[in-house]
Amino acid sequence: MPRLKGALLSTLRHDSAFWRRALIAGVARGPEPWVRHSPPVFGAIFAAALPETRRRVARNLRRIRGPRSRVVDALDTAAVFAAYGSCITEALLLASGRGYTLTRRSRGVEHYRAAAAAGRGVLVATAHTGGWDVAGQVLGVVHPEGVVLAMQRERDAEARAIQDEARQRAGVQVVHVGDGPLDALPLLGHLRRGGVVAMQIDRVPPGMRCREVTFLGARWRAPEGPLALAALSGAPILPVFTHRLGFLDYEAVVSPPIWLPRRPTEAERDRAAAEMMGAMERFVRAHPTQWFHFTGEGPVGPAEER
């Protein structure tokens, strides 16, 4: 019985192949009202079926916006899962061949132009926020030549294959990182050719070095990968976070670029990590229900002055 229960919980996880196949079937054949309005229902099912994940989301919300009433906590937690369901569905919808297109907006595009002017490529620091799965297309509003999205391999290999195929059909280039020391070589080559690489900074892949920063009032682990790539390539780090405005309507919020020398000191790496995560903190505080941080990763201790 425990084994059967474990298998059922694994199937019902938000990142399982079961849900991806169900969503693909829905977006391929469902009528437009269903495609537009059913994703929050799937989000509610995720929330109901995964109580531990729901508690993690509620804890994240309290870190972001402080304590609220139980009613507000419940409503905001439901909004996170609803937004997640809409974003995943719309990513698959773009790859369905039904002719849907994305509305892309941006704020702070002048920061991208300043970063790209050096001609060394641009290393975008992003996160699992609303629209992250279509970030390559959303970022096309500031970089029409295409973006390589570096991502950690998902837990469920079948689900990853389903999502990667959808991303490729939608024109998004994906490179998986985190399993080996040579994973970053394609990213470095792309940057040196003047391209744009997007890396997620809200999770630390297994085996990747990290650096402690203060984030949401606590010490947090920031991945070292973006800092190392920036130093090796000379590319600036450009914090860019996306959020969903409505049906297939997304905005990219661009912060000022962060520069590192080719041989940065520990203090310079600390400063860059703090600036990178500071940009993310400002974004999630402005859009608390659009951060999809469902993992158990969290603070490593109380906030301390560095």
Side-chain angles (χ1 to χ4, degrees):
M1 184 63 72
R3 189 172 296 179
L4 179 62
K5 182 180 178 181
L8 178 61
L9 289 175
S10 179
T11 299
L12 291 176
R13 279 180 57 123
H14 71 279
D15 57 357
S16 71
F18 169 80
W19 288 117
R20 301 292 168 85
R21 286 195 294 267
L23 287 171
I24 287 174
V27 301
R29 295 188 289 272
E32 182 164 324
W34 169 259
V35 170
R36 280 179 175 267
H37 304 299
S38 67
V41 176
F42 282 95
I45 294 172
F46 293 153
L50 304 169
E52 180 54 36
T53 304
R54 189 172 66 247
R55 285 190 286 270
R56 289 172 186 162
V57 169
R59 285 196 296 269
N60 286 335
L61 287 168
R62 286 192 290 272
R63 292 182 189 121
I64 294 168
R65 50 158 178 67
R68 296 291 191 274
S69 70
R70 289 185 179 181
V71 172
V72 172
D73 275 349
L75 290 174
D76 282 356
T77 299
V80 172
F81 284 95
Y84 176 80
S86 295
C87 292
I88 288 291
T89 301
E90 289 168 10
L92 295 172
L93 187 61
L94 288 170
S96 68
R98 294 183 59 174
Y100 287 93
T101 57
L102 196 67
T103 299
R104 304 179 299 184
R105 309 172 192 271
S106 68
R107 276 188 287 140
V109 68
E110 68 276 7
H111 300 310
Y112 164 76
R113 296 193 183 102
R120 301 175 185 174
V122 177
L123 181 56
V124 168
T126 187
H128 295 82
T129 59
W132 68 270
D133 210 41
V134 293
Q137 294 185 60
V138 176
L139 294 171
V141 74
V142 296
H143 185 76
E145 302 302 320
V147 177
V148 170
L149 183 60
M151 299 180 63
Q152 181 182 356
R153 287 177 174 84
E154 294 188 57
R155 173 195 64 89
D156 188 320
E158 187 179 358
R160 181 179 72 236
I162 291 170
Q163 203 71 27
D164 281 353
E165 183 181 352
R167 292 173 184 128
Q168 289 167 6
R169 289 201 305 270
V172 178
Q173 296 177 264
V174 177
V175 173
H176 291 287
V177 297
D179 287 352
L182 302 181
D183 287 354
L185 288 180
L187 307 179
L188 183 59
H190 189 67
L191 287 170
R192 285 176 171 168
R193 291 189 295 272
V196 172
V197 170
M199 300 185 74
Q200 293 156 327
I201 62 172
D202 54 338
R203 300 177 193 172
V204 180
M208 180 179 284
R209 295 180 60 188
C210 60
R211 187 166 293 265
E212 286 190 9
V213 297
T214 298
F215 176 68
L216 297 175
R219 286 186 289 129
W220 198 276
R221 295 183 181 92
E224 186 86 21
L227 308 178
L229 268 178
L232 285 170
S233 65
I237 299 171
L238 188 70
V240 181
F241 304 100
T242 56
H243 65 114
R244 182 177 184 268
L245 298 172
F247 182 66
L248 288 171
D249 189 356
Y250 293 86
E251 181 181 60
V253 180
V254 187
S255 294
I258 301 163
W259 298 88
L260 271 171
R262 291 299 181 97
R263 294 184 178 179
T265 64
E266 290 300 303
E268 288 169 330
R269 289 176 184 268
D270 280 345
R271 175 193 55 78
E275 289 183 16
M276 183 174 71
M277 296 304 290
M280 180 180 161
E281 178 171 333
R282 289 190 294 275
F283 178 87
V284 298
R285 288 195 188 279
H287 308 282
T289 62
Q290 298 245 342
W291 184 29
F292 308 143
H293 190 60
F294 298 145
T295 72
E297 187 174 340
V300 295
E304 295 178 357
E305 292 297 322
R306 289 192 62 82

